[in-house]
Amino acid sequence: MYTVPPSTLVTGAGGFIGGHLVRALLQRGHQVRAVDVKPIQEWDQCFPEAENLVRDLKYLQNCREAAAGVNEVYNLAADMGGIGFIEKYKAACMLSVLISTHMLIAASEAGVERYFYSSSACVYAAGKQDRTDEVELREADAYPAMPEDGYGWEKLFAERMARHFREDYGLTTRVARYHNVYGPNGAWQGGREKAPAAICRKIAIAKLTGRDSIEIWGDGEQTRSFMYVDDCVEGTIAIAGGHVAEPLNLGSAELVTINRLVDIVEEIAGVELRRDYKLDAPQGVRGRSSDNTLIRAEFEWEPSTSLRDGLAVTYPWIERQVAMQLAGKAEASYRLPA
Ligand code: NAD
């Protein structure tokens, strides 16, 4: 019997996770509408098989156009970046509330079957993340609320709004709280990159230019867990299609210090560098990891790519970008799927 493939909207599709998600959905046979505010030439990945639209989703009319005729929505669009970006541009981060609000209205009006929202570990209170060990955050830890200023408040508000659209208007909403995602085809310079990409870039530049040191933000003893992007995409699709209505952590439980992250990248790059610790640089919380009890119980699955395995793919990609930049060449962002 012929079945019509699901028609799926991915917002923020020109970004890091959005690009990987579009690829995975296309591989699963979805018809994908990919929307982002950036010019197509600047998308991290762009797939000709998808319907690719450049629209500013802060505007309700553009959200209505994006949601028209689709079965499901993956809303990943947000103005965001690493800790340096979210500490500096709080108003810009909070303005993503226009995207979150208008996409919910448009999805509800269009009668879509499912609406997925990408929230963040930044919804958790800083007071629960002021040490380096035993920092696994449970979903219930988001309340009483005191999220990361700016970015975290917007994420928590948007989560809650999704819940009320579910309760009041019957829209099936699903929410994942992503913890630090990394991998190839994401921001690696320019201020929006996260710690793994920044460390890979610094090490690649040192290696390729003969420098003997790199700068580390903080004392390097702050702890984090980092989720490889393939795990993020797999978990996103599972949570979006699953039965759990409340927000779920989607992150790795492999806790490492930033110094350990640097050790691993150095091993992969084959270099050993002096570390200059910049103690007044933005560092975020002291320690953070994902408690995966709920996702394991509900899906018999959790992100499991080891940091070493994920970086073994990510570092060479970033080293190649750095090498091309040093050679005065830029890699085309518009590329065919592998
Ligand atoms: P990203 O910055 O690479 O992608 C976000 C995309 O949204 C960008 O391409 C951007 O151009 C687009 N966008 C911004 N404003 C828009 C607008 N007005 N209209 C349409 N598109 C717009 O970020 P990412 O790492 O791929 O993150 C995707 C989602 O996951 C975001 O919502 C982010 O907050 C969330 N998240 C990411 C991480 C992480 O570690 N990467 C962690 C927690 C949560």
Side-chain angles (χ1 to χ4, degrees):
M1 193 182 76
Y2 177 75
T3 49
V4 180
S7 168
T8 304
L9 167 65
V10 177
T11 78
F16 166 46
I17 303 169
H20 286 274
L21 179 61
V22 170
R23 177 199 297 266
L25 291 167
L26 288 169
Q27 282 168 348
R28 286 165 163 81
H30 290 235
Q31 289 177 342
V32 178
R33 180 175 295 152
V35 182
D36 203 288
V37 70
K38 293 187 292 200
I40 290 224
Q41 300 73 9
E42 292 174 22
W43 290 24
D44 291 326
Q45 300 182 79
C46 184
F47 302 94
E49 309 93 306
E51 179 190 0
N52 299 303
L53 300 177
V54 175
R55 297 287 184 278
D56 186 343
L57 296 173
K58 287 201 177 84
Y59 298 100
L60 179 57
Q61 192 46 40
N62 291 340
C63 293
R64 286 183 171 135
E65 186 191 347
V70 301
N71 303 115
E72 49 187 29
V73 173
Y74 287 84
N75 185 15
L76 274 69
D79 200 357
M80 61 90 64
I83 189 68
F85 182 89
I86 66 175
E87 283 196 1
K88 191 167 174 196
Y89 301 109
K90 298 191 179 87
C93 290
M94 290 206 84
L95 280 173
S96 296
V97 77
L98 296 173
I99 307 172
S100 317
T101 307
H102 289 147
M103 269 322 307
L104 267 172
I105 294 171
S108 184
E109 284 177 357
V112 306
E113 289 158 24
R114 277 175 184 262
Y115 175 94
F116 171 88
Y117 177 65
S118 57
S119 184
S120 164
C122 288
V123 301
Y124 293 114
K128 292 184 172 142
Q129 304 170 75
D130 54 7
R131 46 189 293 173
T132 55
D133 58 352
E134 295 176 25
V135 285
E136 295 78 16
L137 293 157
R138 292 171 305 124
E139 284 79 353
D141 289 330
Y143 295 96
M146 188 45 75
E148 172 89 33
D149 200 8
Y151 176 71
W153 276 107
E154 193 280 324
K155 287 289 181 195
L156 193 64
F157 175 83
E159 274 189 6
R160 241 183 135 87
M161 195 162 43
R163 167 178 155 185
H164 295 306
F165 268 70
R166 188 180 76 246
E167 291 171 350
D168 296 0
Y169 304 131
L171 178 66
T172 300
T173 61
R174 299 290 181 257
V175 176
R177 290 182 185 148
Y178 294 165
H179 290 242
N180 281 312
V181 189
Y182 72 98
N185 296 107
W188 57 277
Q189 63 170 355
R192 287 183 188 264
E193 67 280 12
K194 304 277 178 75
I199 299 291
C200 288
R201 182 197 71 233
K202 290 173 186 180
I203 289 177
I205 291 174
K207 177 180 166 181
L208 297 176
T209 62
R211 282 187 211 166
D212 64 354
S213 67
I214 57 164
E215 182 183 275
I216 311 256
W217 286 8
D219 64 2
E221 289 307 301
Q222 62 273 42
T223 53
R224 292 289 185 280
S225 67
F226 299 102
M227 169 169 55
Y228 188 57
V229 66
D230 287 359
D231 285 336
C232 176
V233 166
E234 193 175 338
T236 294
I237 293 172
I239 290 172
H243 57 282
V244 183
E246 295 303 321
L248 282 175
N249 277 335
L250 183 53
S252 164
E254 182 187 349
L255 187 70
V256 293
T257 62
I258 296 298
N259 279 325
R260 178 67 194 133
L261 169 68
V262 177
D263 292 341
I264 297 172
V265 179
E266 283 183 341
E267 281 161 31
I268 293 166
V271 293
E272 209 172 316
L273 301 161
R274 205 182 65 243
R275 299 174 189 185
D276 295 334
Y277 295 102
K278 192 166 188 284
L279 299 179
D280 59 353
Q283 301 168 47
V285 295
R286 191 66 183 147
R288 169 185 292 166
S289 182
S290 179
D291 180 311
N292 288 345
T293 309
L294 275 184
I295 194 167
R296 265 198 311 269
E298 299 292 348
F299 293 95
E300 295 177 0
W301 178 90
E302 68 183 302
S304 61
T305 305
S306 71
L307 185 56
R308 187 150 204 324
D309 287 352
L311 287 171
V313 181
T314 308
Y315 176 78
W317 183 81
I318 292 181
E319 190 184 288
R320 206 167 62 244
Q321 311 309 308
V322 170
M324 283 192 300
Q325 193 175 67
L326 291 172
K329 297 179 204 151
E331 185 167 280
S333 65
Y334 191 91
R335 62 181 78 83
L336 296 173

